[in-house]
Amino acid sequence: MPKFIPTNYNQTSMVVINYEDQLQAGTFEHAIHYLIEHKLDLSVFYPKYKNDENGRPAYDPAVLLKIILFAYSKGITSSRQIQWCCETNIIFKALSCDSVPHFTTIAAFVSGRSQEIENLFEQILLICHQQGLLGNELFAIDGCKMSSNAAKEWSYTFKELEQKRDKIKRQLRHYLNKHQAEDNNEQTTEDAQQKRHAQMIATLNQAHDKIDKFLNTNKPRQGRRNKEVKSNITDNQSAKMTTSKGTIQGYNGLATVDKKHQIIVDAQAFGEGQEHYSLQPILNAVKARYKRLNISDNIYQTGTIVTADTGFTNEANMKYLHENQINGYIPDNQFRSRDPKFSEQKTKYGKRHQDGKNKKRKQTIPASEFDFDPTALSCTCPSGERLSFRGIKDNGSGLTTIYFEGRLLQCRHCPIKSHCMHNPDSANHRKGNGRQVSFSFKNDKKPNYTDWMKHRVDSEKGKHIYSHRMSTVEPVFANIGTQKRLHQFSLRGQTKVQGQWQLYCLVHNIEKLTNYGTLRH
């Protein structure tokens, strides 16, 4: 048996190191150290400190920024874990000069410096411009829906919250009476059962007070169409959003990405799932930022192309692009069906294990069989029942549409519901729906701004330009969400979440500077 030098990993040793030697050129940690020390102006962080004459010394914002950005680049967002890394990891020690900020200091810095982070984002963007990393040829806009620090189980309308509060009152009354009966009973009950009852009463009291306080200090949350949407007790500025992985309670982080090197030029977080409402604020923010940084007085007048997916299209946005002469390409959700190249897309790239046969949707009684009176805004179903009027809306394509819905009790006991509804069982439970029908005004329809955009997108030039959208913006979200594992917000409130979203995007932009820019000490 050959002899080897013995090794023992379970030992402690003192090693003399130089912190700057740990920050090797070409690495992300060297990039953030160099930028913060030599390129960025952090004086914007100073006004909140009031210890110039009295008080103990505070941690330098440069140190906090370095360890937070490096932690985010490793997918670490927990302030406790960042503190632990400063105690044990040599790179964190090098960035913090062997200081260990308390986790509360780190958390307060992230959540309370949104405006300063916005300023930092613009400084990094200006450095990207100075080093020629911005092409300003094409911008791609898209959103990434992420969960926030809020429970979706606490999302209700005000009417539902009042009903839940009343239900909790009844439960409290039941347990209090039961608890009192046990106290009056001569036979002693088990201590474990008494503790369970006391704990249940305390839990119900806490939930009741939480709901009651929210109802007394807030107003019903109104949606974009002046219709009440569900409020969330934990974070009322967040929203329920449907994603490919289910429904989440969170925010939609939107990014505007430059095509040349995929630099993010604008990052905003919105507490609503529908993206088309955010297009105009994003375009205005980009224009104002470029003017503020002296890059361009009006970036859209220089020929810059703006692309976005179908979630951003509606008549108002198309009108805004046309009137402001913005070179935009935003297709409607039917643009693929008009393209002959995608005529066989469903059969070629259909669901797995498809047998090739077209599965026809269940045939139901069409809306044409309903008696619709547009002057009285009334609708009668084939069974003779009058449907409830649900409103008049613009369907996003410039068509005015009137919506009706059957009452649950009508549809539940209707003898022809199996022929009238795609899912007849939906009328059998309290939160279900009756038959829904809609009627659109197609007569005398004039060409609108949506038709103008359809013509642009369907042209050969438009198809070529729009093909660059996905390759520009989707890798950015893949890098942030998958590579960096920054796929969840840990804060509450739109202002704080936007600050954290901009920190995520800062990590991406600094990485681009590391790979494509010139950073010399």
Side-chain angles (χ1 to χ4, degrees), residues 413-459:
H413 305 293
C414 181
I416 62 172
K417 71 175 182 179
S418 59
H419 302 289
C420 185
M421 302 176 65
H422 289 288
N423 183 17
D425 294 334
S426 65
N428 295 333
H429 53 86
R430 183 170 60 90
K431 293 186 178 181
N433 300 101
R435 171 63 193 267
Q436 299 171 344
V437 292
S438 62
F439 303 91
S440 300
F441 294 124
K442 297 183 179 180
N443 295 331
D444 300 328
K445 177 179 176 293
K446 298 180 180 179
N448 52 28
Y449 295 100
T450 303
D451 296 326
W452 165 74
M453 182 57 69
K454 286 181 181 179
H455 177 74
R456 287 171 60 83
V457 173
D458 291 344
S459 65

Side-chain angles (χ1 to χ4, degrees), residues 79-335:
S79 54
R80 293 177 185 268
Q81 195 170 355
I82 295 175
Q83 177 187 342
W84 179 81
C85 289
C86 291
E87 296 171 351
T88 58
N89 187 282
I90 190 62
I91 303 298
F92 279 90
K93 283 181 173 292
L95 290 171
S96 65
C97 282
D98 204 18
S99 60
V100 183
H102 196 261
F103 72 88
T104 56
T105 302
I106 299 171
F109 187 85
V110 173
S111 62
R113 300 302 182 96
S114 299
Q115 293 182 355
E116 292 84 349
I117 292 171
E118 166 79 17
N119 182 276
L120 199 68
F121 180 87
E122 292 190 351
Q123 290 188 53
I124 293 291
L125 185 64
L126 183 59
I127 295 173
C128 292
H129 169 69
Q130 292 169 348
Q131 298 201 6
L133 302 187
L134 294 179
N136 299 327
E137 174 190 356
L138 183 144
F139 293 157
I141 305 173
D142 206 350
C144 179
K145 298 174 183 176
M146 297 187 186
S147 301
S148 64
N149 190 10
K152 65 180 180 181
E153 292 78 12
W154 281 102
S155 291
Y156 300 95
T157 62
F158 264 54
K159 182 179 180 181
E160 292 171 340
L161 281 174
E162 292 171 354
Q163 293 173 348
K164 188 173 183 66
R165 182 180 58 181
D166 295 340
K167 181 179 179 181
I168 292 175
K169 283 183 179 178
R170 292 193 297 269
Q171 290 176 324
L172 270 173
R173 196 178 302 114
H174 167 75
Y175 280 103
L176 287 171
N177 292 336
K178 191 173 183 180
H179 196 67
Q180 185 177 3
E182 290 174 352
D183 290 341
N184 297 333
N185 193 355
E186 295 180 357
Q187 297 180 355
T188 59
T189 57
E190 297 182 0
D191 291 341
Q193 185 176 358
Q194 287 184 338
K195 288 182 179 179
R196 285 198 300 270
H197 287 170
Q199 185 177 3
M200 179 62 71
I201 291 172
T203 302
L204 289 173
N205 264 321
Q206 185 178 5
H208 175 273
D209 294 343
K210 184 178 181 180
I211 296 174
D212 191 64
K213 180 181 178 181
F214 183 84
L215 289 173
N216 292 330
T217 56
N218 293 272
K219 296 181 180 180
R221 185 177 177 184
Q222 299 296 323
R224 294 283 183 172
R225 296 174 176 173
N226 293 325
K227 182 180 179 182
E228 183 184 359
V229 297
K230 291 186 176 182
S231 302
N232 186 270
I233 294 181
T234 313
D235 181 4
N236 198 26
Q237 292 182 318
S238 64
K240 271 190 173 182
M241 301 178 184
T242 303
T243 69
S244 59
K245 297 180 181 179
T247 302
I248 64 170
Q249 184 76 34
Y251 290 86
N252 192 8
L254 288 110
T256 305
V257 183
D258 182 80
K259 176 178 176 289
K260 186 175 182 180
H261 286 294
Q262 296 173 335
I263 301 292
I264 301 173
V265 299
D266 183 73
Q268 297 187 50
F270 291 88
E272 53 187 347
Q274 294 182 335
E275 294 174 326
H276 55 264
Y277 295 116
S278 59
L279 180 65
Q280 296 183 31
I282 289 174
L283 294 175
N284 290 332
V286 172
K287 178 182 175 181
R289 177 173 290 115
Y290 269 67
K291 185 175 182 179
R292 192 161 52 245
L293 296 178
N294 293 323
I295 299 176
S296 174
D297 289 339
N298 189 339
I299 187 63
Y300 305 121
Q301 298 303 315
T302 62
T304 300
I305 300 170
V306 176
T307 63
D309 64 10
T310 58
F312 292 86
T313 184
N314 66 5
E315 179 66 13
N317 286 341
M318 301 306 104
K319 181 180 179 181
Y320 178 84
L321 294 175
H322 187 273
E323 291 181 346
N324 290 273
Q325 299 180 356
I326 298 176
N327 191 13
Y329 290 86
I330 304 177
D332 61 293
N333 57 6
Q334 299 296 323
F335 81 108

